Amino acid sequence: MIKYIVQGGTRLSGHVNISGAKNAAVAILPASLLVDGVCRIENVPDISDVRLLLEILRNMGANIRRFGRNTLEIDCSHVRNATAPIDLVRRIRASYYLIGAELGRFGHARVAMPGGCNFGVRPIDQHIKGFEALGAKVSTDRGMISAEAPDGLHGAEIYLDMPSVGATINIMLAATKAQGNTTIVNAGKEPHIVDLANFINAMGGSVKGAGTDTIRIRGGRPMHGCTYAVIPDQIETGTLMIAAAATRGDVLIRGALPTHMEALTAKLLEMGAHVDEGIGEDSIRVRSDGNHRHVNIKTLPYPGFPTDLQQPMSVLLSTARGTSIINETIFEMRFKHLEEIRRMGGISQINDRIAIIEGVPKLVGCPVTATDLRAGAALVIAGLMAEGVTDIYNVHFIDRGYEHLEDKLRSLGAQIERLPA
Ligand code: UD1
C-alpha cells in the first residue's frame, strides 16, 4: 500500500508534458489481437492498467517488446489461447475489450466479468446487444462472459440505447473482422474512439465516421501490422489544468490537444481563470489568481463535460465564491470523494445524482482515502489547495491512470511525496 503526503499551499508553475491517453491505450492494445503482424505503438502511458493488459496479452501468447518507457512492439501472430487469465482480467475495467478483440480474431471469446472503478452498476448490455447483432451467441455464467459465433460474424446495423464508449469500441473491434458492413448508430464520440478507429485503419481496416454519432465499419478486410502513436490524454490534461487553477498557478501544459478540452476550458473561463490556447497548436496555458466564481456542471458524453473530470472539478468548486451545482448524468455513484472533501472543510450536499457545493474560504489538510482513480486525482488537487498536510491513501487507484503524477507535480513545484502507507 502506498500513500501520498502533500504539503499544500504551493502555487504550481512551469511546464509539464502530457502522456498518452489511458482510455485510448487500453483499447488499442487489445486491438493488436486483430492482426498477424507487429504493431509498433508509441506514446503508450506507463500506468498500471497498461501493465496489466500487457501481462494479460503476454499470458495469451503475445510477443511484446518495450523500447524506452513509452514505445511497445506487440506481435500477436502466435496467440492461440482465447482465455485471458481471470485474476488479471478482474482487476481492470477495460479487459472487456478482450471480448470484442477475441471474438473478431477467433470467432469465440471467454472473459471474466471486468473489474475497475466502482461507481455504480456499469452494465454491459449494449456490448452484448452488439455482439449478438453481429451473429454471436453470448452467455454469462459464474462471473464469466462467453461469446461464440460458429458461423462467423456478419455486419449489422446496431443502435445503442446510449452513446456508450465501451460498447462503441467493443463493437468496432468485433465488426472489423465480420463479413460485410456494420453501422453503429448513436455511437460514442470520445477522442479515444477516434484514436482506436485510426489505429484500426492503420492496420488496414476501414472505420469511417468515428467522432460522429454514426460509425461505419467495412469488415473482413486484409489487415497487417503498423506503426501508431496514441493521442494525448484528455483527462490528464484536464486534471493538470484544474490543478493549475486550484493552486493560483501558471502552468504551460505541452503535448495536449486543446480541441479535446473545450468543455473544461469554457468552465474555467466562466470561473475567472485564464486559459490561453494560442501558444502553439498543442499547448494550453492556465493561470489564475484563485479568485473563482461558482459555476454549474452537467456531465455528458463528449463533447459535453467529461464525467472523469467531474471529481477534480468539484474540488476546485469547493473554494469558489457561491453555490455550485453538479449534475452527474453518466454514473450514479460518483460523489464518494466529496465525503473526503468534507473532512477537509468542504461543504456539500448530495442528492442522488446532484451535488450542491457551497464554496468555503479554504480547505484544511487531513488523512483522506481515494475510492477510485479520478477521486484519487481530485484528492491530490485538494491536498495541493489545502492549508497544512494531507495524507492520501489508496494511491494504487491513481497509478491505474496517471503516469508518474507525483513527478509531474513536483516538477511544477508541488510538495508531494510517495511513501509506503
Ligand atoms: C468509459 C471510460 C471511463 C469514462 C466513461 C464515460 C474507458 C476504459 N473508460 O467507461 O473512464 O468515465 O467511458 O465517459 O474508456 N451503460 C449501460 N450499458 C452498457 C454500457 C454502458 O447502461 O452496455 C451505461 C453506463 O452504466 C453509464 C453510461 O452508459 O451510465 C456510459 O458508460 P460507458 O460510456 O460505456 O462508459 P465505460 O465504457 O464503462
Side-chain angles (χ1 to χ4, degrees):
M1 296 299 275
I2 305 288
K3 71 171 177 178
Y4 278 155
I5 301 182
V6 184
Q7 170 72 55
T10 310
R11 300 170 83 143
L12 297 186
S13 71
H15 60 82
V16 63
N17 294 320
I18 292 303
S19 300
K22 163 191 172 278
N23 286 347
V26 298
I28 285 172
L29 297 178
S32 61
L33 273 171
L34 298 177
V35 291
D36 282 338
V38 179
C39 294
R40 185 178 171 92
I41 309 171
E42 298 164 356
N43 206 28
V44 180
D46 181 26
I47 53 177
S48 67
D49 266 14
V50 160
R51 287 194 287 269
L52 254 173
L53 260 180
L54 293 176
E55 211 178 323
I56 291 171
L57 289 171
R58 251 192 217 106
N59 264 276
M60 293 170 66
N63 202 341
I64 300 172
R65 297 204 304 158
R66 195 180 264 284
F67 300 85
R69 190 197 264 182
N70 301 112
T71 298
L72 299 167
E73 278 185 6
I74 305 186
D75 182 356
C76 291
S77 312
H78 303 292
V79 171
R80 298 281 172 265
N81 177 4
T83 304
I86 296 174
D87 51 324
L88 298 179
V89 167
R90 286 223 173 99
R91 284 159 51 191
I92 168 174
R93 177 89 192 146
S95 53
Y96 57 26
Y97 295 145
L98 291 166
I99 311 172
E102 287 181 15
L103 198 53
R105 166 87 190 240
F106 303 108
H108 58 94
R110 191 167 153 76
V111 177
M113 288 288 203
C117 289
N118 175 17
F119 30 73
V121 187
R122 304 188 80 178
I124 58 165
D125 54 301
Q126 301 300 303
H127 305 230
I128 292 173
K129 179 170 91 172
F131 297 143
E132 286 177 343
L134 294 172
K137 287 197 173 58
V138 184
S139 58
T140 50
D141 179 37
R142 288 189 293 167
M144 299 293 289
I145 305 166
S146 304
E148 206 155 335
D151 303 325
L153 298 172
H154 51 74
E157 174 150 336
I158 300 160
Y159 168 78
L160 297 181
D161 294 354
M162 73 288 291
S164 157
V165 172
T168 303
I169 286 177
N170 238 337
I171 294 167
M172 276 163 59
L173 291 170
T176 290
K177 298 297 261 185
Q179 287 307 315
N181 299 337
T182 295
T183 306
I184 309 175
V185 181
N186 197 26
K189 299 193 280 256
E190 273 66 8
H192 37 291
I193 293 173
V194 179
D195 209 33
L196 175 66
N198 289 338
F199 178 65
I200 291 175
N201 292 341
M203 294 190 294
S206 171
V207 181
K208 295 203 170 124
T212 75
D213 50 21
T214 304
I215 297 180
R216 295 178 205 283
I217 302 140
R218 272 205 291 150
R221 287 165 57 98
M223 293 177 72
H224 46 74
C226 68
T227 296
Y228 193 78
V230 176
I231 50 164
D233 195 300
Q234 177 203 21
I235 306 303
E236 187 199 27
T237 306
T239 303
L240 292 169
M241 289 170 72
I242 294 168
T247 58
R248 299 172 294 121
D250 183 351
V251 175
L252 182 66
I253 297 167
R254 290 179 175 159
L257 284 171
T259 47
H260 293 167
M261 305 313 306
E262 280 168 5
L264 174 64
T265 296
K267 285 294 159 184
L268 290 177
L269 291 172
E270 203 180 321
M271 290 182 75
H274 300 275
V275 182
D276 301 306
E277 294 175 356
I279 315 151
E281 279 178 3
D282 67 348
S283 58
I284 303 171
R285 181 179 176 192
V286 179
R287 288 172 292 144
S288 177
D289 61 6
N291 187 12
H292 296 137
R293 286 184 289 279
H294 63 101
V295 295
N296 296 337
I297 304 280
K298 184 174 186 178
T299 62
L300 288 168
Y302 188 83
F305 194 94
T307 172
D308 286 355
L309 289 177
Q310 176 267 106
Q311 292 152 301
M313 190 66 175
S314 66
V315 172
L316 177 61
L317 293 174
S318 67
T319 60
R321 263 181 292 119
T323 305
S324 303
I325 298 174
I326 301 180
N327 184 351
E328 171 55 71
T329 75
I330 309 290
F331 292 111
E332 67 264 35
M333 278 169 51
R334 225 175 179 181
F335 289 133
K336 282 188 272 183
H337 63 292
L338 288 178
E339 288 167 27
E340 302 300 294
I341 299 301
R342 274 189 217 133
R343 290 149 58 80
M344 299 176 74
I347 300 180
S348 57
Q349 278 177 48
I350 298 162
N351 188 356
D352 195 18
R353 289 177 181 237
I354 306 280
I356 301 169
I357 298 178
E358 299 286 347
V360 294
K362 65 175 183 196
L363 299 178
V364 180
C366 73
V368 288
T369 302
T371 48
D372 62 67
L373 164 60
R374 308 302 171 185
L379 294 179
V380 170
I381 293 173
L384 295 171
M385 292 162 73
E387 188 178 278
V389 176
T390 302
D391 287 14
I392 302 166
Y393 293 86
N394 277 354
V395 166
H396 65 276
F397 280 123
I398 299 172
D399 292 339
R400 285 192 38 216
Y402 289 91
E403 184 175 70
H404 308 289
L405 181 62
E406 73 272 18
D407 292 346
K408 292 193 181 188
L409 291 172
R410 257 200 305 268
S411 76
L412 296 171
Q415 295 185 54
I416 176 168
E417 259 189 286
R418 166 186 285 262
L419 289 177

